[in-house]
């Protein structure tokens, strides 16, 4: 009984579960069919859109292909033309190889000249800088030159004035020394003449008197004393004359030094140094 009871319950449960399963399957199929319909509808829309898109692309591509074909033809024509031009250019290149080599040599030479140009340019800049410094120095020197010219004019005036005074003094000194020298020379000549005359007279007296050796020795000693005195006088006169000549010559040397310092030629001096009448004195 229990087995039958549970068998019936089992069968009822199976039927219920079958019914529920069928119901759920039916709902699932309906939902699936709905989704399929929606997907098909969406797919058809998307397919239409894609179809239109690719149709547009195909149309565009056909136009582009036609355009590219035309461009290819143009390119072929241009290529043919360029081939001809290339052949002409190659021929021209062959003809231009020699000028090109010459031009390259000229370029190398010009590059060398360019290097020298940069060096010369740098040297020129240095020279300009040095020129500016030199110009500044020149301006300073010109200013100094003007100052020196003014000073030179003033010194030249003083020199002329001094030259006149000194010339006057030299003339006076020369006149005085010349007159004094003349007097001394005349006095010396008179003394020499007198000495010669006295010697002659002494010789005559000695010869005429026939003096003895003692008397002759005494007279000789007296004569030597007189001659010594006269010689001393002559030496004093010679010394005075030498002093006057030396003073005159020293004055001329001083005057020549002044003329040299003022830039006056010595030919303008007009005086000659006095020579010593007795060499060695």
């Amino acid at each position: 009984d229990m087995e039958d009871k549970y068998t019936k319950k089992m069968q009822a449960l199976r039927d219920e579960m079958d019914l529920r399963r069928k119901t759920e399957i039916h709902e699932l199929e309906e939902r699936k069919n709905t989704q399929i319909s929606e997907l098909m509808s969406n797919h058809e829309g998307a397919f239409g859109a894609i179809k239109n898109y690719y149709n547009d692309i195909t149309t565009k591509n056909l136009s582009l292909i036609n355009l590219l074909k035309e461009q290819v033809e143009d390119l072929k024509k241009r290529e043919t033309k360029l081939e001809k031009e290339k052949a002409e250019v190659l021929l021209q290149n062959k003809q231009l190889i020699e000028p090109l080599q010459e031009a390259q040599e000229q370029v190398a030479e010009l590059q060398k000249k360019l290097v020298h140009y940069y060096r010369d340019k740098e040297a020129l800049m240095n020279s300009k800088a040095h020129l500016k410094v030199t110009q500044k120095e020149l301006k300073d020197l010109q200013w100094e030159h003007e100052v020196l010219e003014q000073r030179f004019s003033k010194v030249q005036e003083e020199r002329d004035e001094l030259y006149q005074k000194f010339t006057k003094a030299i003339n006076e000194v020369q006149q005085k020394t010349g007159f004094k020298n003349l007097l001394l020379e005349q006095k010396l000549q008179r003394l020499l003449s007198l000495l010669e005359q006295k010697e002659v007279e002494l010789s005559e007296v000695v010869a005429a008197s026939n003096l003895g050796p003692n008397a002759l020795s005494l007279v000789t000693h007296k004569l030597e004393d007189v001659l010594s005195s006269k010689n001393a006088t002559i030496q004093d006169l010679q010394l005075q004359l030498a002093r006057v000549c030396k003073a005159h010559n020293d004055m001329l040397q001083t005057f020549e030094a002044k003329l040299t310092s003022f830039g006056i030629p010595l030919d303008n001096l007009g005086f000659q140094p006095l020579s010593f009448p007795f060499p060695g004195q």
Side-chain angles (χ1 to χ4, degrees), residues 66-233:
N66 293 327
L67 181 61
L68 290 174
K69 283 181 179 180
E70 293 176 357
Q71 291 179 355
V72 166
E73 290 179 358
D74 292 337
L75 289 173
K76 285 181 178 179
K77 291 178 181 179
R78 289 181 62 187
E79 184 179 4
T80 305
K81 184 178 179 182
L82 289 173
E83 286 292 336
K84 292 180 181 178
E85 292 179 355
K86 179 182 176 183
E88 294 176 356
V89 169
L90 288 174
L91 182 60
Q92 291 178 0
N93 286 340
K94 288 181 181 179
Q95 295 175 353
L96 292 174
I97 286 175
E98 244 181 81
L100 177 62
Q101 290 178 351
E102 293 178 357
Q104 287 176 347
E105 292 176 358
Q106 290 179 0
V107 168
E109 186 67 25
L110 289 174
Q111 285 178 348
K112 291 180 182 178
K113 290 183 179 179
L114 183 63
V115 173
H116 292 299
Y117 167 75
Y118 285 131
R119 290 179 185 173
D120 294 340
K121 185 177 181 181
E122 186 177 359
L124 179 61
M125 293 176 66
N126 294 331
S127 299
K128 285 182 178 179
H130 184 66
L131 179 62
K132 289 182 180 178
V133 176
T134 307
Q135 286 177 347
K136 186 177 181 301
E137 293 178 354
L138 178 62
K139 289 181 180 178
D140 296 337
L141 290 174
Q142 286 177 347
W143 182 77
E144 292 179 1
H145 178 68
E146 292 178 359
V147 174
L148 289 174
E149 278 187 347
Q150 294 176 0
R151 290 178 60 187
F152 176 74
S153 300
K154 185 176 179 181
V155 171
Q156 197 171 16
E157 292 175 359
E158 294 176 356
R159 180 205 65 186
D160 294 337
E161 184 179 356
L162 181 62
Y163 179 76
Q164 293 175 358
K165 292 180 179 179
F166 204 69
T167 303
K168 184 178 179 181
I170 286 292
N171 289 327
E172 292 177 357
V173 170
Q174 191 175 21
Q175 290 176 359
K176 290 179 181 179
T177 54
F179 182 70
K180 192 172 183 179
N181 290 339
L182 182 61
L183 291 177
L184 289 174
E185 288 178 358
Q186 291 176 356
K187 187 176 181 180
L188 183 61
Q189 292 295 330
R190 287 197 302 272
L191 289 174
L192 290 174
S193 300
L194 182 61
L195 178 61
E196 291 177 357
Q197 183 179 359
K198 293 296 182 180
E199 288 179 351
V200 171
E201 291 177 356
L202 178 62
S203 299
E204 292 177 353
V205 168
V206 170
S209 60
N210 292 322
L211 295 175
N214 294 328
L216 184 60
S217 176
L218 181 61
V219 172
T220 303
H221 283 301
K222 288 183 179 180
L223 183 60
E224 287 178 354
D225 293 338
V226 173
L227 289 176
S228 297
S229 175
K230 296 299 181 181
N231 288 331
T233 303

Side-chain angles (χ1 to χ4, degrees), residues 12-26:
L13 184 59
R14 281 180 180 173
D15 293 337
E16 184 180 356
M17 292 301 291
D18 286 337
L19 182 60
R20 185 181 295 175
R21 181 178 57 81
K22 288 179 180 178
T23 303
E24 290 178 356
I25 288 172
H26 182 67

Side-chain angles (χ1 to χ4, degrees), residues 54-66:
Y54 282 107
N55 286 332
D56 293 338
I57 289 176
T58 303
T59 304
K60 290 180 181 179
N61 286 338
L62 290 173
S63 301
L64 182 59
I65 288 168
N66 293 327

